[in-house]
Amino acid sequence: MTEKSTTAPSAQSPDAELIGPDRTLLIVDDDGPFLRRLARAMEARGFTVDIAESVAEGIAKAKSNPPKHAVIDLRLGDGSGLDVIEAIRGRRDDTRMIMLTGYGNIATAVNAVKLGAVDYLAKPADADDIFAALVQRQGERVEPPENPMSADRVRWEHIQRVYEMCERNVSETARRLNMHRRTLQRILAKRAPK
């Protein structure tokens, strides 16, 4: 399902007034079932949803019809969701973009925010969390997480930050961290610890 959604947004949706007059939403994710489920949930809340399953498709849709809102997965089959953020920002300055990822780390979150994302959510994020992030007003305080990061997660975040600083060069990152390259590759291949 890569075409524009045909379901009209519900004018009676209680969430519709939070969205504003421009209800366009682009969702870019390569997980088909998650993408379609999220699209239906956002349509039910009042958005006019367009979907893409790849970086190339997301960039094409961003250039042809830049949305007011966007939800973009970081890691896609053909590249990085950061490229879609750049394409949207190049066409429209007021887009509220949310970065989603199952491989969350501080370095990519900072990079996404620098490129124009307003929030960064780790998967599995539900439709309520995503909607809240999309309609959050500027200056509103976000509640702190109930569970702080574990020591393993802090270590993983540090490794990811150094990896991003080294422009994703595994050999250079391993040298700077005084770690064997293969050990680093195994760590990078795993999901973030809780």
Side-chain angles (χ1 to χ4, degrees):
M1 180 169 167
T2 57
E3 67 282 341
K4 190 169 244 178
S5 177
T6 56
T7 305
S10 169
Q12 288 79 24
S13 169
D15 298 321
E17 66 186 44
L18 295 172
I19 298 170
D22 188 347
R23 301 169 187 267
T24 56
L25 170 65
L26 174 63
I27 305 173
V28 184
D29 199 309
D30 57 358
D31 179 355
F34 173 78
L35 175 65
R36 287 184 285 282
R37 198 168 51 248
L38 181 60
R40 282 192 304 272
M42 292 298 126
E43 285 174 343
R45 286 169 171 81
F47 284 104
T48 304
V49 178
D50 197 4
I51 59 172
E53 294 190 38
S54 67
V55 171
E57 190 179 355
I59 290 172
K61 289 188 177 194
K63 287 182 178 178
S64 67
N65 186 22
K68 171 67 175 163
H69 304 87
V71 178
I72 304 161
D73 190 12
L74 175 64
R75 287 194 184 181
L76 297 160
D78 62 339
S80 171
L82 295 174
D83 296 333
V84 180
I85 288 178
E86 282 185 291
I88 293 171
R89 192 55 71 210
R91 296 286 180 157
R92 187 169 183 171
D93 289 336
D94 66 339
T95 300
R96 292 192 53 85
M97 292 180 275
I98 308 299
M99 180 62 72
L100 285 181
T101 186
Y103 300 88
N105 66 66
I106 293 169
T108 53
V110 168
N111 202 7
V113 170
K114 283 181 180 177
L115 289 172
V118 295
D119 208 341
Y120 189 91
L121 300 174
K123 284 184 177 179
D126 66 8
D128 292 332
D129 294 337
I130 294 168
F131 181 79
L134 284 170
V135 299
Q136 180 180 5
R137 299 291 172 233
Q138 201 167 21
E140 281 184 347
R141 297 189 77 166
V142 178
E143 292 189 28
E146 292 179 21
N147 302 323
M149 283 194 280
S150 68
D152 288 337
R153 178 63 187 243
V154 171
R155 176 180 178 260
W156 190 84
E157 292 285 352
H158 175 68
I159 290 170
Q160 291 293 325
R161 184 177 58 79
V162 174
Y163 183 54
E164 290 293 327
M165 284 177 19
C166 294
E167 298 178 352
R168 299 179 158 261
N169 181 319
V170 175
S171 297
E172 178 63 17
T173 304
R175 187 186 65 72
R176 287 187 184 191
L177 293 172
N178 198 24
M179 179 184 288
H180 194 277
R181 186 178 53 80
R182 288 188 185 184
T183 302
L184 177 61
Q185 286 175 318
R186 280 192 293 275
I187 292 169
L188 292 173
K190 293 180 183 177
R191 286 192 178 266
K194 299 264 181 194

